[in-house]
Amino acid sequence: MAEPPTRTAPIFLVGCQRSGTTMVRLVLDSHSRISCGPETRFLPDLRRIVGRDWERLARFGFPREDWLRRIRDFFGGVHADYAAARGKTRWADKTPLYAMSLDFVTEVFPDAQIVHLIRDGRDVVVSHRKRFGYWSAVKCVVKWPRYIRAARAVGATLPPDRYYELRYEQAVTEPEKTMRGLFEFLGEPWEDGILDYDSKQHDVAQKYTTEAAKRRAAASLTEPIYGSRVGTHRRELDPFLRLLVWVFSGPTLRALGYR
């Protein structure tokens, strides 16, 4: 039987910050074909070229499609060269912020596959407080549903083979089953040991690995993927934040089936 065609489409991993995107990024980067390097964050800045600066730049005489191609060649070229230097043939970009500009991302890369990681917004608020402070948690009750709505709105316009929602809770409680589903969506073969990402080399900021190591040690865990942070809101969300979540995040939580 002939081998299935190899996919080369770029992968974009998005989701509200503190939703587990770093964990999934490391799993992707552990695949022999996929390179998922450091966050880029600057792609929305290039939107100015075909956005608010377009009237001026159009005077060069190049059509908008040509500018989009130049953006695609530049941005994609950085990732492709980085992947090739690591012996990889396909690239992925993990930048949570791109959840807010997926319409532009998919315009620049019309074949891109989008992976949207979703986590219980109440636990995301708790994680924001622990990582960034109380005021960040307060703002998160509005930010989390905004990220969810923005990404899902674009996802609804894409075919099933272009947009995939991955639940954090399933990823950490049934990692192999969940990640097998992810790689099936991506059209990539499953590889043994892919979940043991901490045994592989990644270009990731030390703060992420240090933080994860501290959490595992506190919970007396050895596995790189663990579910001990699921449902932390039940014991760590104070009454004021709980009220804010109910008012601002409640409709989105219910729409996603979180109870």
Side-chain angles (χ1 to χ4, degrees):
M1 182 178 293
E3 290 280 335
T6 301
R7 297 206 68 158
T8 59
I11 303 163
F12 284 86
L13 172 60
V14 301
C16 186
Q17 291 85 350
R18 312 306 297 172
S19 292
T21 52
T22 295
M23 174 193 70
V24 177
R25 172 216 162 172
L26 295 176
V27 171
L28 289 175
D29 196 54
S30 296
H31 195 279
S32 64
R33 278 184 24 87
I34 300 174
S35 166
C36 191
E39 292 184 25
T40 51
R41 303 188 185 184
F42 65 84
L43 185 56
D45 296 327
L46 300 178
R47 191 173 198 161
R48 288 180 51 184
I49 295 173
V50 292
R52 69 187 192 194
D53 289 345
W54 175 241
E55 183 178 353
R56 174 168 49 84
L57 295 178
R59 296 170 189 159
F60 280 98
F62 303 114
R64 190 173 186 275
E65 291 72 19
D66 191 66
W67 286 98
L68 289 172
R69 177 190 59 78
R70 293 170 189 267
I71 295 171
R72 180 166 56 250
D73 290 346
F74 166 64
F75 187 86
V78 171
H79 274 300
D81 289 347
Y82 174 76
R86 304 174 70 223
K88 307 289 188 85
T89 56
R90 189 177 182 190
W91 61 265
D93 184 300
K94 171 258 175 180
T95 301
L97 182 65
Y98 292 170
M100 301 301 295
S101 54
L102 281 182
D103 55 339
F104 181 64
V105 169
T106 54
E107 185 178 21
V108 175
F109 296 98
D111 61 339
Q113 289 186 289
I114 309 300
V115 179
H116 180 198
L117 187 59
I118 297 176
R119 183 184 186 185
D120 187 326
R122 297 165 293 188
D123 287 346
V124 175
V125 170
V126 170
S127 188
H128 270 70
R129 188 192 68 196
K130 294 175 74 70
R131 184 70 179 86
F132 305 121
Y134 201 86
W135 180 237
S136 177
V138 170
K139 293 188 291 184
C140 183
V141 303
V142 176
K143 180 175 78 171
W144 176 79
R146 188 171 71 244
Y147 269 64
I148 298 292
R149 289 194 300 267
R152 295 191 105 196
V154 175
T157 68
L158 299 175
D161 65 340
R162 296 273 316 285
Y163 176 80
Y164 189 80
E165 288 186 354
L166 182 67
R167 293 296 180 101
Y168 170 84
E169 294 76 19
Q170 294 173 339
V172 297
T173 56
E174 298 181 294
E176 181 167 338
K177 177 183 177 181
T178 305
M179 295 304 176
R180 279 184 179 272
L182 171 62
F183 282 100
E184 182 178 354
F185 162 75
L186 296 174
E188 296 291 346
W190 179 257
E191 297 178 352
D192 292 334
I194 203 169
L195 300 181
D196 298 324
Y197 59 76
D198 59 345
S199 65
K200 301 175 176 65
Q201 183 65 40
H202 309 279
D203 292 327
V204 63
Q206 186 177 2
K207 64 180 180 181
Y208 293 116
T209 54
T210 301
E211 182 184 355
K214 287 181 179 178
R215 287 199 300 264
R216 287 202 301 270
S220 300
L221 299 167
T222 58
E223 297 297 320
I225 299 178
Y226 50 91
S228 62
R229 300 302 297 170
V230 174
T232 54
H233 67 274
R234 295 186 179 90
R235 58 184 181 274
E236 298 186 29
L237 205 60
D238 65 56
F240 179 63
L241 285 175
R242 195 176 299 276
L243 174 63
L244 292 180
V245 166
W246 183 80
V247 172
F248 295 102
S249 303
T252 305
L253 284 166
R254 290 188 290 273
L256 292 168
Y258 289 111
R259 296 290 182 259

